[in-house]
Amino acid sequence: MDKRYTVTQASEMLKVKSYVLRYWEEELELRIRRNEQGHRYYTDYDIRLFANIKELKNRGLQLRAIKELIPRISRTVPGSAESKIRLLPGVSQTVEEPDPDERRMLEFQQILERLIAQEIQMKRDGEMRCRDLDAAIRRQQLARREAAAAGTKKSRSR
């Protein structure tokens, strides 16, 4: 039987608030199992899945995009020991030779990571352009104010 974790334990392991796990569960339509009293419990599979969701969120993906990726990330039945989740480094999995589907998944993940990095860089570049433009406008406004103030002083002194 799989080890079961409470919401509190899972949130501590993942370093997120418990309401974040519940929110992700609802938004991503995840099927988190419940015990006899109706309380959520998480398996190792669920923890890995949430860790990958957290990683994708940290990389800038929105939940809508992550929702579309979940079926591709986890190709086996939830809770299975043969889970193919591979986004996080350090998750030990014994897979000798990846099959063609798994290779395609890894290629897809690499492409996705590259696209995310490009999008983040474009966003940073855009922010820098906006900041530069804002600074130029402020300098121009300051120069106009100074010129107007200098013109006012000249007309008063006459």
Side-chain angles (χ1 to χ4, degrees):
M1 187 166 152
D2 276 344
K3 172 108 170 98
R4 293 182 176 189
Y5 303 96
T6 64
V7 174
T8 304
Q9 291 170 321
S11 66
E12 288 172 0
M13 292 170 67
L14 295 164
K15 295 180 177 56
V16 296
K17 301 284 185 186
S18 57
Y19 64 84
V20 173
L21 294 177
R22 291 190 293 270
Y23 177 72
W24 288 348
E25 174 188 346
E26 182 180 323
E27 289 297 310
L28 299 173
E29 299 175 4
L30 301 175
R31 289 187 217 132
I32 301 301
R33 290 182 220 114
R34 295 178 182 260
N35 64 15
E36 298 77 27
Q37 291 85 29
H39 299 153
R40 291 174 176 85
Y41 70 87
Y42 300 92
T43 63
D44 289 328
Y45 171 86
D46 298 325
I47 299 297
R48 286 194 307 270
L49 180 62
F50 278 114
N52 284 306
I53 292 167
K54 180 181 175 185
E55 177 66 21
L56 290 171
K57 287 290 294 170
N58 290 340
R59 292 181 185 191
L61 258 68
Q62 295 181 352
L63 286 178
R64 280 178 282 172
I66 294 172
K67 185 176 180 177
E68 293 176 18
L69 292 175
I70 287 180
R72 296 176 187 156
I73 293 171
S74 54
R75 292 183 11 220
T76 58
V77 178
S80 169
E82 301 169 22
S83 174
K84 302 289 189 206
I85 297 175
R86 307 188 112 245
L87 283 178
L88 288 180
V91 176
S92 62
Q93 297 176 352
T94 55
V95 178
E96 283 111 28
E97 182 60 36
D99 61 22
D101 288 338
E102 190 170 351
R103 270 192 232 118
R104 280 193 293 261
M105 177 56 75
L106 292 173
E107 288 172 12
F108 173 76
Q109 288 174 350
Q110 290 170 348
I111 291 168
L112 183 63
E113 288 174 3
R114 213 174 17 246
L115 289 172
I116 292 168
Q118 288 173 355
E119 189 64 32
I120 290 171
Q121 187 59 44
M122 286 174 46
K123 187 175 181 180
R124 286 183 188 147
D125 291 346
E127 287 175 3
M128 291 306 294
R129 279 193 294 268
C130 289
R131 287 182 184 160
D132 291 345
L133 180 61
D134 184 55
I137 291 170
R138 290 178 190 273
R139 283 192 303 272
Q140 184 68 27
Q141 289 172 338
L142 180 61
R144 286 184 180 170
R145 274 190 244 126
E146 289 173 351
T152 306
K153 285 182 186 177
K154 282 185 181 180
S155 61
R156 285 188 187 169
S157 61
R158 293 186 191 183

